[in-house]
Amino acid sequence: VLAVHPCNIYCMAATQCMRWIFTGSEDGYIRKYDFYASMNGKTMLTQGQRHGQVDSVTKAGILTSYWENEEQPNSKISPAAISALQQQQQQHQIKVYSLDCHSEAVFALSGLESGAINLWTPRHEEGTCHHVFRQHTGPVSSIRLTPDQQGFISGSWDNSVLQWDLNNGAIVRTYTGHGSQISSLSFQPAGMPVATMDMSSPSANVSNDAVLLSTSVDGMVCLWDRRDPTSLPRKLILPEKVPPWCLSACWSADGRRIYCGRRNGTVDEWDFAEGKFIQSIRMPGDSGPVSFVKMMPNNKHLICASQDNIRLWNVTELQSKSSLRPFHIIAGHHGGLISNVHIDPSCKYMITTSGNREWEGPSTNGCLFYDIQPLL
């Protein structure tokens, strides 16, 4: 299924049950799709929309509603400044740089170019903004709700990472350590034993949702202990001959490995407990930068999105001496950067979006819905 967009798709969010899919794009609109109506529907793509797509992409996504990601006036500024802001908003689009939503779609968050973060309702009074979080001074490139959904983490082009309390709107903590634009944020997967952030005692057990992973465009990867507000980040040092660049990093399903996509077409694999570089997974030549990485829930397959294709790597066979490459091509996107990959908890469906997120690279301007079929 293809949800056609007129421009780059910068971000995407989904409810836990996968009922609603939200996309944020370069034209300043947030679009709401009915996922199951799209997968089970019979609305076909036009011949023009199918042009350039693989043969298996035939259906169109069901768009239920859409609204603008509007810049809300600040009550602390003068009426003249508010009027100037409204005129500026009419002249250019307020791009949607980041999105995240509540598991039941009670509320959602979107990042703006000005550094503001809008909290709005996606189910009742769709698109109505109820509060604005203001602190960042640059585009908010990443938003991630905390596991308890009582707060969220935001990263911006102003090099800062902030933790917010949704109950009172206050900043709980500032994570200082990055020297470039923040590109991704993720929490360590829950439910598995992990090691402490202290390198001197790697065997101590801690609550694993206390570890935050953040990356920036200059290639820096930081690990933060959220339990200790005064702790410094653990940084994963770039291996030799690896260019300083990273748009995406992810955890393994058990929380013991970290994978980082690089500009030279490789993915770095790290051991979390020891902080040690394990190996570099190299894409085929001329595949382009790895713009997104995502581990599947089975902890066996790693999705690596390059400019030419999306590849499904079997990480358990990387050391195999077989002449066959341990990956499969996932048909769909070709010739564009991937801005997001989402897999539902049951590992039945996958959603991918294409966009450069205001960084370098082309886009296919499409959001694809996949049905995952197990291999027996």
Side-chain angles (χ1 to χ4, degrees):
V1 177
L2 172 65
V4 181
H5 287 63
C7 55
N8 282 265
I9 307 171
Y10 287 167
C11 50
M12 184 266 294
T15 57
Q16 186 173 9
C17 65
M18 296 289 286
R19 173 64 191 278
W20 305 113
I21 308 298
F22 303 95
T23 63
S25 52
E26 186 180 17
D27 60 2
Y29 284 95
I30 298 172
R31 294 171 172 84
K32 177 181 177 182
Y33 289 89
D34 189 322
F35 179 76
Y36 293 109
S38 301
M39 296 296 287
N40 300 322
K42 298 181 180 179
T43 303
M44 308 302 289
L45 294 168
T46 64
Q47 190 64 32
Q49 291 171 335
R50 289 191 61 182
H51 180 71
Q53 304 295 329
V54 294
D55 293 340
S56 59
V57 178
T58 58
K59 296 181 181 179
I62 305 300
L63 178 66
T64 60
S65 59
Y66 63 94
W67 52 87
E68 293 186 58
N69 187 40
E70 296 181 340
E71 183 81 50
Q72 304 298 321
N74 191 342
S75 59
K76 297 181 180 180
I77 63 177
S78 63
I82 293 176
S83 177
L85 176 64
Q86 292 174 343
Q87 291 180 2
Q88 182 183 12
Q89 185 168 327
Q90 293 175 356
Q91 293 174 359
H92 76 283
Q93 301 152 337
I94 307 299
K95 303 173 184 178
V96 189
Y97 282 86
S98 52
L99 273 178
D100 204 1
C101 70
H102 185 267
S103 60
E104 302 296 331
V106 176
F107 63 86
L109 299 158
S110 59
L112 283 72
E113 185 175 3
S114 66
I117 301 170
N118 289 346
L119 184 148
W120 41 273
T121 46
R123 290 173 60 184
H124 309 288
E125 299 180 347
E126 291 180 339
T128 301
C129 182
H130 296 273
H131 184 73
V132 180
F133 301 89
R134 303 182 189 275
Q135 183 64 32
H136 290 296
T137 57
V140 182
S141 51
S142 186
I143 294 176
R144 192 70 62 218
L145 280 170
T146 55
D148 60 5
Q149 302 189 98
Q150 298 297 311
F152 68 95
I153 310 289
S154 62
S156 171
W157 285 19
D158 61 10
N159 309 345
S160 66
V161 178
L162 303 177
Q163 180 175 341
W164 303 79
D165 188 336
L166 282 168
N167 295 304
N168 55 25
I171 296 175
V172 177
R173 180 179 174 182
T174 300
Y175 299 87
T176 304
H178 284 285
S180 184
Q181 302 167 349
I182 307 302
S183 55
S184 71
L185 299 167
S186 61
F187 293 100
Q188 190 174 28
M192 298 296 291
V194 298
T196 179
M197 295 290 291
D198 184 5
M199 295 292 290
S200 62
S201 58
S203 61
N205 291 327
V206 297
S207 174
N208 50 6
D209 64 350
V211 182
L212 172 68
L213 169 68
S214 62
T215 66
S216 52
V217 177
D218 62 359
M220 183 177 293
V221 180
C222 293
L223 297 166
W224 308 85
D225 190 343
R226 295 175 57 224
R227 301 165 302 157
D228 184 3
T230 61
S231 66
L232 296 176
R234 240 177 67 187
K235 297 182 180 180
L236 304 183
I237 307 302
L238 279 169
E240 294 184 4
K241 299 181 181 180
V242 173
W245 187 91
C246 183
L247 285 189
S248 175
C250 72
W251 297 88
S252 61
D254 59 7
R256 296 174 180 173
R257 296 285 189 271
I258 296 171
Y259 298 92
C260 310
R262 300 298 185 184
R263 182 169 56 190
N264 61 346
T266 62
V267 176
D268 296 342
E269 182 181 12
W270 293 78
D271 184 281
F272 166 69
E274 299 181 9
K276 181 178 66 175
F277 173 74
I278 300 175
Q279 63 181 330
S280 179
I281 306 172
R282 185 169 296 278
M283 305 296 120
D286 300 326
S287 62
V290 180
S291 59
F292 207 92
V293 289
K294 183 78 171 180
M295 176 61 75
M296 299 190 76
N298 63 2
N299 203 35
K300 181 179 178 181
H301 293 100
L302 177 69
I303 295 173
C304 302
S306 302
Q307 184 170 321
D308 62 341
N309 280 305
I310 300 178
R311 293 175 173 84
L312 182 68
W313 286 80
N314 188 337
V315 296
T316 63
E317 298 180 358
L318 292 177
Q319 304 300 331
S320 174
K321 296 182 180 180
S322 171
S323 60
L324 298 177
R325 292 185 179 271
F327 68 80
H328 296 278
I329 298 294
I330 300 178
H333 295 286
H334 179 75
L337 292 180
I338 302 302
S339 58
N340 209 306
V341 176
H342 178 79
I343 301 173
D344 78 306
S346 65
C347 201
K348 292 183 178 179
Y349 306 106
M350 182 177 75
I351 302 174
T352 61
T353 60
S354 179
N356 59 19
R357 299 172 62 196
E358 283 291 286
W359 289 304
E360 295 180 356
S363 169
T364 61
N365 301 346
C367 175
L368 286 171
F369 301 166
Y370 292 87
D371 189 2
I372 299 176
Q373 299 292 337
L375 297 175
L376 300 177

